[in-house]
Structures are given as C-alpha cells and as structure tokens.
Amino acid sequence: MRKNGVQRLALVSIILLIVLIFAGATVRVTGSGLGCPDWPTCWGQLIPPTHVDQVDREKLEADIPRFKKSAERFGRDPDSITVDSLLEKFDGTQTWIEFVNRLLALPVLLANFLLMIFCLRSKNLPKYGIASFGLVIVSALTGIVVVASGLHSGIVTIHMALAFLQLFVLTYILWAGGDRGNRRSRVLGASRPQVMILLACVMIEWAMGSQIREVTDRLMMERGVESRSTWIDEISDSWVYLIHRSFSWSILIAALWLGYLVRWQGFVPRLVLIVVGALMVMGLILSTSGIHAVVQVLHVGLAGILVSAVFYWWLAAGASYKGGRSA
C-alpha cells in the first residue's frame, strides 16, 4: 500500500527517534550526560570546546548561581558546585557525545513539527500529530531537568519512557494515517489478543530493564565507567535481574508462536523475530561476559525497534480480515 505524506513523515520521524534512542543510550553508558553542564549552550558556547583550556571561565562563573539553585532543588549539595569542580570533570569526548546527542534531537523536532502541520492541514489524525509534537517538547524539557538534576536515575528513566511513548504515537500514525478509502495494512494469521500477549511481555521486560539500567547508572556514578566489567557481579544478585533474564524467554516463545500462526510471512513478523533473536544473543553476552558498553547501546536501541514493530503488528493483526495486504 502506497504511503501518503503523513505516513511517510511518521516513518521518517520513527527512524530519527530510534537513532536518537541509540544516541541517548550511548550518552548513558559512557557517563556523558553531564558532558555539557548547561543548556541550550554547551560550556557556554554554541560549538563546545574540545579541551578544558578553551572553556570561558567568566561565562561559567556567571552560570554558577543557576547551577547551585538547580542542585539544591534536586537535593544535591550546592556548595559542591564551583568553577573548579566543574572544570575538573571536563572530558572532551563526553562533551561531544552529549553535544551530538543534542544535535540529533533537532531533526526529530523538525520532523514532528512537519508531521503536525501535515496532519492539521489534511485533517488526517490531527490530534495525534499534535500529541507527537507535544511529546517532543516535553521530552526536550525533561532532558533539561535531567542535566539540572545531575543525572537523577528516575528522571533519566522518565526521559527514556517519553521516547518510547512517542514511538507508540508515531507508529499509530504510520498505520492509521492512510488516505480515506484505502484499506489499512493487515498481518493475517494472528488476532489482536494473541499479539497483545507478545506486546505485554515486551513492555514488562522493558520495565524491568529500566530498573536494571538505574542500577548500572548508580554503579557508574559511584565507581566510574572503568569498573564496568565488575557490574554484573552485583547486578546478578538482584531479583529484578533474575526475573528479567528468565522472562526474556517468554518473548522468544511468544514471537515464535505468532510467527508460526502467520506462517512467517510479512515484513513486520520477520523483523520482530530477527530483533528478538538479536536481543536474546545480546542478553546472553551481557549476562555472561559483563556489561559491555557497545552491546548495552545496541540492546537499548533494538528494544525501541521491537516496541514499535510489535505495536504495529498489534494494530495490523486480523485473523479473519479478508482483502487486506500483508505488512
């Protein structure tokens, strides 16, 4: 089925958002969230410095009262924030990782703004177009709070949850945003209640994974990135981790069962099966060989792809639908 302008923009927005999720995961696993201590500038500059000697101390000094006020608001010691303490933590690589992450948010903002305009002008799912753009704004504001809070793990999780919520909205627009009179794509062979089992398993697993990522955030803050190889020893004692590791098999079993029902036909079911298989392999690596940064980034990014694909499958599921087109 040929996609119209709204659906094409929704697809572009999904791709850009998933790229941003990969970037955000990179920021998180490298401990680069405070690579830029201010917003919207980075170390007081539009183009961030690469070396600590390039930081303008006067501009940084002028921002200290604001940094102290934010720290106090989130229960941090404001007296610990000084120009010297900030400069001691300067890392050129982390600064640019965070800066690139911010840059990648701009295409997401633009794509969703255009999507909202297209939805409003064509009167095609206008409320969803507004909701998607609104989520981008809320997510951006939450990103500011993340920096102001000093990377509070709960706020970081909320920031990630907003991105996944936006994936749901954009995926719905992609599926439901066709021109009137055109039939929506269908994945034959499985009903919505059946696909809901897989979707529920994926979301439960995501919730537990978020709890584990908060533990890794704490370990990184306490021990530094260099201690990554020892994290698995502490994480493996957590009941959340033990359930998370075992529960992943339910996703694989549900995906294989649904694949059998649809006779392995259609792009979406095949994509789901491939991503689930890749995530299982990555989970095995993380549990046996340590919390490797690259694997962790891929794990989070692929989770975003899986959520979007499974939700699309749920929307398109229709065991008794006749005349539909396989997605």
Side-chain angles (χ1 to χ4, degrees), residues 46 92 118 149 151 155 181 189 197 206 234 243 280:
L46 294 177
F118 268 62
S149 68
L151 302 183
I155 299 176
I197 295 174
W206 178 87
E234 183 165 338
I243 296 175
M280 289 293 291

Side-chain angles (χ1 to χ4, degrees), residues 223-236:
R223 306 180 186 178
V225 178
E226 298 78 11
S227 65
R228 178 177 292 276
S229 60
T230 65
W231 294 355
I232 190 63
D233 296 331
E234 183 165 338
I235 294 173
S236 59

Side-chain angles (χ1 to χ4, degrees), residues 215-250:
V215 175
T216 60
D217 288 348
R218 176 178 59 80
L219 292 173
M220 181 162 48
M221 295 289 286
E222 293 177 354
R223 306 180 186 178
V225 178
E226 298 78 11
S227 65
R228 178 177 292 276
S229 60
T230 65
W231 294 355
I232 190 63
D233 296 331
E234 183 165 338
I235 294 173
S236 59
D237 293 332
S238 167
W239 65 268
V240 176
Y241 170 77
L242 295 174
I243 296 175
H244 176 74
R245 185 180 63 182
S246 301
F247 192 76
S248 62
W249 287 98
S250 66

Side-chain angles (χ1 to χ4, degrees), residues 9 22 30 64 106 131 177 182-183 190 238 295:
L9 272 172
F22 274 105
T30 57
I64 290 298
L106 295 178
N182 289 340
R183 290 179 174 174
S238 167
V295 179

Side-chain angles (χ1 to χ4, degrees), residues 29 209-210 250-251:
V29 303
S210 296
S250 66
I251 296 178

